[in-house]
Amino acid sequence: MKTLILDENDIEKAAEIIKNGGLVAMPTETVYGLAANALDGNAVARIFKAKGRPMDNPLIVHISDISQIDSLVREFPEKARILAEKFWAGPLTMILPKSDIIPDEVSAGLDTVAIRFPSNKIAQALIAKSMPLAAPSANLSGSPSPTNARHVFDDMNGRIDAIIDGGECEVGVESTVITLATDIPRLLRPGGITVEQLSRGRCGIVL
Ligand code: AMP
Ligand code: MG
């Protein structure tokens, strides 16, 4: 497979690839993500193959508008709404009870789904022009997460349809993952938003 190198002017082309079930590496503010249509189980399965990622490791679904969350989850609790208002768009991922349209490939068979609203404008434009995107980091499983298009190319050339070169990632570390699918919110992975930030002010999340 020939891997196309695209830039911010090629969002339409990248969206077409996504709509046809293909894989596009896109910049986000954390690290580069390897994106596919989050609602197409076959497309999502290709992500696992390209990365060599075990199928039991669930993926994060990326949105570009808060209203998109309604069809993806069964519940959007008040605590999650407050956190979304405060930290989205940005490097916070929230685990919520999933709706039936989320394929098992995304959730690894769990009853929950991870959702994030990235602040990177290229990622937002690609999602807006296509659909919510499932996207883990765009590296071979076990390798460091890529923070520029050259890193992605070194791991993924010939394995994916396209890479959108959007320069260096600003944050450079993964998103913070918290679950709101349990009675008491829990931190699952530290990242770009700190626990201190999460517990400050009126959201009052104590993890
Ligand atoms: P990555 O895509 O490799 O940056 O990692 C995504 C992280 O989110 C991993 O640590 C996953 O285990 C975690 N994750 C994704 N979906 C879920 C879920 N439904 N429940 C718990 N953890 C999840
Ligand atoms: Mg990763």
Side-chain angles (χ1 to χ4, degrees):
M1 173 192 300
K2 170 120 179 74
T3 300
L4 298 173
I5 307 297
L6 306 177
D7 65 26
E8 64 196 316
N9 300 311
D10 301 314
I11 301 296
E12 295 275 0
K13 188 182 273 183
E16 275 312 302
I17 294 171
I18 294 284
K19 287 179 199 164
N20 288 323
L23 303 184
V24 175
M26 64 174 181
T28 82
E29 69 277 18
T30 58
V31 301
Y32 273 70
L34 181 53
N37 177 356
L39 307 181
D40 176 349
N42 291 328
V44 172
R46 294 187 58 212
I47 294 178
F48 288 90
K49 194 154 175 243
K51 279 181 62 84
R53 178 177 171 111
M55 295 287 292
D56 62 359
N57 194 359
L59 303 182
I60 297 171
V61 176
H62 294 69
I63 59 174
S64 61
D65 187 311
I66 204 104
S67 67
Q68 289 167 334
I69 206 166
D70 293 334
S71 69
L72 304 175
V73 304
R74 290 197 308 280
E75 282 166 57
F76 190 27
E78 181 61 16
K79 267 188 184 162
R81 275 179 206 282
I82 293 169
L83 289 170
E85 227 172 78
K86 188 156 177 187
F87 295 107
W88 283 355
L92 177 69
T93 296
M94 292 197 262
I95 311 286
L96 292 162
K98 83 172 190 73
S99 74
D100 289 341
I101 68 168
I102 301 289
D104 279 344
E105 286 83 355
V106 170
S107 62
L110 298 172
D111 193 32
T112 52
V113 62
I115 312 266
R116 182 163 101 79
F117 184 158
S119 64
N120 182 285
K121 297 298 173 209
I122 293 176
Q124 288 182 359
L126 180 59
I127 299 163
K129 281 251 177 299
S130 55
M131 65 269 298
L133 300 176
S137 51
N139 51 278
L140 290 173
S141 203
S143 299
S145 295
T147 53
N148 60 42
R150 162 56 63 179
H151 293 165
V152 178
F153 184 84
D154 289 346
D155 267 19
M156 290 297 166
N157 184 29
R159 306 175 74 87
I160 64 176
D161 297 286
I163 300 169
I164 307 176
D165 188 346
E168 291 286 333
C169 300
E170 298 144 41
V171 177
V173 297
E174 267 88 355
S175 62
T176 301
V177 180
I178 63 170
T179 181
L180 291 144
T182 48
D183 286 344
I184 299 170
R186 264 190 316 124
L187 177 72
L188 300 183
R189 178 179 75 184
I193 303 282
T194 65
V195 174
E196 288 72 29
Q197 285 173 286
L198 288 172
S199 53
R200 207 176 288 152
R202 77 188 177 95
C203 48
I205 298 284
V206 180
L207 296 160

